[in-house]
Amino acid sequence: MAILSNLELIRRVPLFSTLTQAQAELVAEAVIKRRFKRGETIVEQGKKSNFLAIVLTGHARVVTQDGRGREVILATLNPGDYLGEMSLIDDQPHSATVRAEVQTDVLILGRLEFARCLPENTSMAYAVMKGLVQRLRQADRKIESLALMDVYGRVARVLLEFAQEDHSGRMVIRERVSRQDVAKMIGASREMVSRVMKDLEDRGFIEVMADGSTVVKDRLGTLG
């Protein structure tokens, strides 16, 4: 398989899709590709990194800790997603830690090059703003969930967000659902999440398959 050039790589990133050829070439000269091993930190909460990182392959997890050191999972980043833009914009330390969930390749764009791109390309600036708004909406939904929903509703919402439609029209979570991860997302204990998941399965809201995938039934939406 041929190794893609930096220019070819950034052309595949939605954030850079509106760059002119000249702008794309400048960015291609400035970015570097970096590989992070599973569990390796990409950016760390409370510190500055002064770069924008765009996920090329793999997955990364956005986490934060409370005053007692308990970890909360805020989001999962997939190929095409980016991180670090908030710190670049306001010059403040990162508000969360991002770790590679599996081996993950990213493109790194430094502060100077990032700042140069925004005023020269309004579409890219709009894309960054749109991404910030989406994250704000996700945060609002999480706050609403924690404040207004019981554990059943919170678990249901997470499962619905994970599920994707398969070729037969079913909503399926293809990978095995980690009770510990769900617990960190909704602010509950692993034991409580396990009990809720077992009850949802017994009541026919979800079906756990032999391969570890989970089929999410339509009526689960009545809980979330």
Side-chain angles (χ1 to χ4, degrees):
M1 183 176 178
I3 299 176
L4 297 177
S5 67
N6 282 355
L7 183 59
E8 291 171 314
L9 287 172
I10 67 169
R11 281 304 191 191
R12 297 187 175 195
V13 176
L15 180 63
F16 296 139
S17 62
T18 60
L19 294 180
T20 65
Q21 181 65 21
Q23 291 169 338
E25 290 174 356
L26 286 174
V27 173
E29 292 175 0
V31 295
I32 59 172
K33 184 178 177 182
R34 183 172 173 187
R35 173 165 292 174
F36 291 86
K37 298 177 182 178
R38 179 179 180 178
E40 191 173 356
T41 298
I42 302 175
V43 300
E44 186 173 350
Q45 183 177 352
K47 295 184 178 181
K48 295 182 181 180
S49 56
N50 292 319
F51 62 74
L52 179 77
I54 305 98
V55 180
L56 292 175
T57 64
H59 308 282
R61 182 167 290 171
V62 184
V63 300
T64 187
Q65 289 188 339
D66 64 14
R68 289 183 286 178
R70 294 178 302 183
E71 192 171 86
V72 178
I73 298 175
L74 300 178
T76 297
L77 302 180
N78 298 303
D81 292 333
Y82 50 91
L83 58 124
E85 79 286 357
M86 289 168 48
S87 186
L88 288 185
I89 290 171
D90 65 9
D91 197 29
Q92 295 296 310
H94 296 292
S95 58
T97 293
V98 181
R99 295 193 198 100
E101 192 172 351
V102 296
Q103 179 175 284
T104 301
D105 290 334
V106 304
L107 282 179
I108 301 292
L109 180 66
R111 171 185 292 277
L112 182 61
E113 291 76 20
F114 174 77
R116 185 181 300 157
C117 286
L118 289 185
E120 293 182 357
N121 192 286
T122 55
S123 295
M124 181 177 168
Y126 177 77
V128 171
M129 286 192 296
K130 185 177 179 181
L132 290 172
V133 169
Q134 289 173 341
R135 292 186 187 182
L136 180 59
R137 291 187 185 279
Q138 289 172 354
D140 286 345
R141 286 196 297 269
K142 185 175 288 289
I143 292 170
E144 175 193 13
S145 174
L146 291 173
L148 302 177
M149 291 183 177
D150 61 13
V151 177
Y152 276 84
R154 282 180 258 163
V155 170
R157 176 167 286 188
V158 168
L159 295 178
L160 289 167
E161 288 177 352
F162 281 171
Q164 295 181 335
E165 188 172 349
D166 68 3
H167 63 279
S168 62
R170 301 182 306 170
M171 297 303 294
V172 179
I173 304 172
R174 292 182 175 82
E175 298 181 355
R176 188 179 302 274
V177 177
S178 166
R179 272 57 170 174
Q180 183 64 43
D181 286 352
V182 174
K184 290 181 179 180
M185 291 177 185
I186 69 170
S189 68
R190 184 188 184 282
E191 293 73 22
M192 175 61 77
V193 170
S194 295
R195 288 199 294 270
V196 170
M197 292 280 290
K198 181 65 167 60
D199 189 45
L200 292 176
E201 186 175 6
D202 291 343
R203 293 165 61 188
F205 285 98
I206 62 174
E207 182 180 359
V208 180
M209 312 303 290
D211 62 359
S213 62
T214 300
V215 178
V216 176
K217 306 300 177 64
D218 290 341
R219 61 197 188 96
L220 183 66
T222 61
L223 300 177

